[in-house]
Amino acid sequence: MSAKNITKTNVARLLDAAGIDYELIPYTVSEDDLSAVHVAAELGEDIDCVFKTLVLEGDKVKNFVCVIPGAMEVDLKKAAKVSGNKSCELIPMKNLLPLTGYIRGGCCPIGMKKPFPTYIDESCTLFDTIFISAGVRGLQLKISTDALVKYVGMTVADIVSSSR
């Protein structure tokens, strides 16, 4: 897929409307491996700057979003604390599309069906730009970290497990 043949996603249209610069970067999807690690390898990028979007549910704040480096795991205790919950867990996969409008491997913190409190791991501050899903499998968004955090209204926090 050449850059000229890329169909703009809803995410791209929202960023265009907001006047935010970004780059759409296609990659080859593997139905056997939808991981961010695979995406980073396809892009030839450091896995630490390729972020994945996870949707969680808490005991107090029903749904919230965590955006973390692709090879890391969300620390549920840290995520619960920062989101105002006592406990939380990942939502069941079957709930992802109805809740967000996105499928696994194409979930983006921009343009969900409704806004949710969103937290991004503090490691994002190590990079001027990061990669996130552009809202569909096979397309990543390269965007200024600061612009993403500001546009979505993300809270920067320590939300990943310490061990790798």
Side-chain angles (χ1 to χ4, degrees):
M1 181 187 307
S2 75
K4 292 178 185 172
N5 296 336
I6 296 173
T7 302
K8 285 219 173 171
T9 63
N10 188 46
V11 171
R13 288 188 285 279
L14 289 168
L15 292 173
D16 287 346
I20 297 173
D21 290 333
Y22 63 90
E23 186 179 344
L24 292 173
I25 304 170
Y27 67 93
T28 303
V29 176
S30 168
E31 292 297 329
D32 296 327
D33 186 359
L34 296 174
S35 72
V37 173
H38 169 77
V39 173
E42 283 290 315
L43 298 177
E45 295 291 341
D46 180 348
I47 185 59
D48 292 335
C49 68
V50 177
F51 281 64
K52 60 187 175 185
T53 302
L54 305 172
V55 182
L56 296 91
E57 56 189 10
D59 61 331
K60 294 184 178 9
V61 177
K62 181 67 176 156
N63 294 112
F64 63 98
V65 176
C66 288
V67 182
I68 64 171
M72 303 296 283
E73 290 192 18
V74 66
D75 183 310
L76 295 176
K77 287 183 181 177
K78 291 178 182 178
K81 185 175 181 181
V82 76
S83 65
N85 288 289
K86 286 190 178 186
S87 64
C88 66
E89 59 187 21
L90 290 170
I91 65 167
M93 198 54 60
K94 68 180 180 7
N95 295 353
L96 186 63
L97 180 60
L99 186 67
T100 66
Y102 293 121
I103 60 171
R104 180 172 177 252
C107 191
C108 180
I110 300 168
M112 289 189 178
K113 284 185 172 182
K114 65 183 221 177
F116 296 107
T118 303
Y119 306 90
I120 188 167
D121 186 65
E122 64 189 3
S123 65
C124 72
T125 61
L126 301 173
F127 306 99
D128 292 334
T129 59
I130 61 172
F131 296 83
I132 59 172
S133 173
V136 295
R137 291 178 183 169
L139 198 59
Q140 285 283 294
L141 184 74
K142 182 178 182 181
I143 187 169
S144 154
T145 306
D146 291 341
L148 175 66
V149 168
K150 184 176 177 185
Y151 179 71
V152 175
M154 296 175 163
T155 300
V156 178
D158 175 14
I159 54 172
V160 295
S161 298
S162 302
S163 61
R164 228 198 234 252

